[in-house]
Amino acid sequence: MRKKNLGWSLGAGTAMILGLGVAASGLSSANASSLDNTASTARHPVKVEVLSPKRGDNAGVEGKGWIVDLKLSFRGKTLAGTGFNGLQLTGPAAHNNIAPFPGTFSTGQDEKIPGLVVLDSTTNSTLPGFSGPGTNLANLFNLSGVTNRTPHQTELWDTWIVGAPIVGQNLDTTLTVAVVDDLNHDGVYNDAPGVVKDLNGDGKIGAKDLDLMGVASNVVTVPFHINADPV
């Protein structure tokens, strides 16, 4: 069962959602310091870039209000092959799954970019729908669209404004992002799990487990700090 009103503070208005477009466009794609596991990018058909947060950022207010902004570049794939299946502008409560660009809002596999995995090392397991650090947070993203298409590449953009302290506050944390490989061999990147398991048995869930599961992209890890100070 999908749980609503997760990852967004109560009272967040439509203007907050619409502001995502401004936030996304204002972030530089030159933040190469956020990419620390990209040496093998050239051999992967998908390139993941994390534009926000950057490595070492002190992000958010009271554990919320920080933004995850992603660029996903698919080499040699049609739009259908990327798994993308519709524009998205969504959020909790009244914003969930409504026009003009409906999308569901919960943890788990993203219905719009179903190959995407987004993990955070301090995700809690106390809220309904959350299973700790293995929780795929991709379906909490609010704004998804197609930013560039050429005969040789398709580029998607995906943005999330975090509206509740679901990964804690006043602590160091690590974001991990990748696109899962075509595990079922149907020609589409649509195989991201709802929860990533500890495949190497080291008691942690992150980049090593994604590598073992199988990825089509580089795996990006971004260590940063969650700010607890008020506005």
Side-chain angles (χ1 to χ4, degrees):
M1 179 180 296
R2 290 189 177 275
K3 303 293 183 179
K4 312 302 181 185
N5 286 329
L6 300 176
W8 196 289
S9 57
L10 293 178
T14 302
M16 193 174 191
I17 298 179
L18 294 178
L20 288 170
V22 176
S25 62
L27 293 167
S28 169
S29 62
N31 297 326
S33 63
S34 294
L35 310 177
D36 73 348
N37 190 17
T38 57
S40 60
T41 298
R43 66 182 177 85
H44 291 296
V46 185
K47 180 180 179 182
V48 171
E49 295 180 66
V50 178
L51 308 180
S52 176
K54 298 186 297 294
R55 178 185 297 274
D57 276 358
N58 182 36
V61 292
E62 298 177 333
K64 56 191 177 183
W66 47 285
I67 290 174
V68 182
D69 204 19
L70 309 178
K71 183 168 74 170
L72 313 173
S73 301
F74 296 78
R75 186 174 69 244
K77 277 288 184 184
T78 63
L79 184 59
T82 69
F84 183 80
N85 56 52
L87 304 175
Q88 176 171 237
L89 177 62
T90 191
H95 307 297
N96 183 65
N97 210 22
I98 62 171
F101 305 123
T104 58
F105 185 78
S106 69
T107 59
Q109 183 190 49
D110 184 13
E111 60 172 341
K112 300 300 183 182
I113 308 179
L116 178 65
V117 169
V118 180
L119 306 175
D120 194 280
S121 62
T122 55
T123 299
N124 71 62
S125 58
T126 59
L127 292 174
F130 290 82
S131 303
T135 306
N136 188 356
L137 304 172
N139 203 45
L140 292 172
F141 278 62
N142 311 106
L143 184 66
S144 308
V146 183
T147 47
N148 190 32
R149 299 176 72 179
T150 74
H152 308 291
Q153 178 176 279
T154 299
E155 180 184 282
L156 308 179
W157 210 287
D158 208 18
T159 303
W160 173 32
I161 182 167
V162 182
I166 60 174
V167 302
Q169 53 184 309
N170 194 28
L171 50 72
D172 294 328
T173 192
T174 299
L175 189 76
T176 302
V177 183
V179 172
V180 174
D181 207 353
D182 178 14
L183 302 180
N184 63 3
H185 307 293
D186 66 352
V188 181
Y189 294 128
N190 57 6
D191 298 319
V195 178
V196 176
K197 297 179 180 179
D198 180 12
L199 295 178
N200 67 349
D202 66 352
K204 301 176 182 179
I205 300 176
K208 293 180 180 179
D209 302 294
L210 293 177
D211 281 330
L212 287 172
M213 180 171 59
V215 290
S217 73
N218 54 312
V219 180
V220 181
T221 58
V222 185
F224 67 107
H225 189 80
I226 303 291
N227 185 21
D229 295 335
V231 176

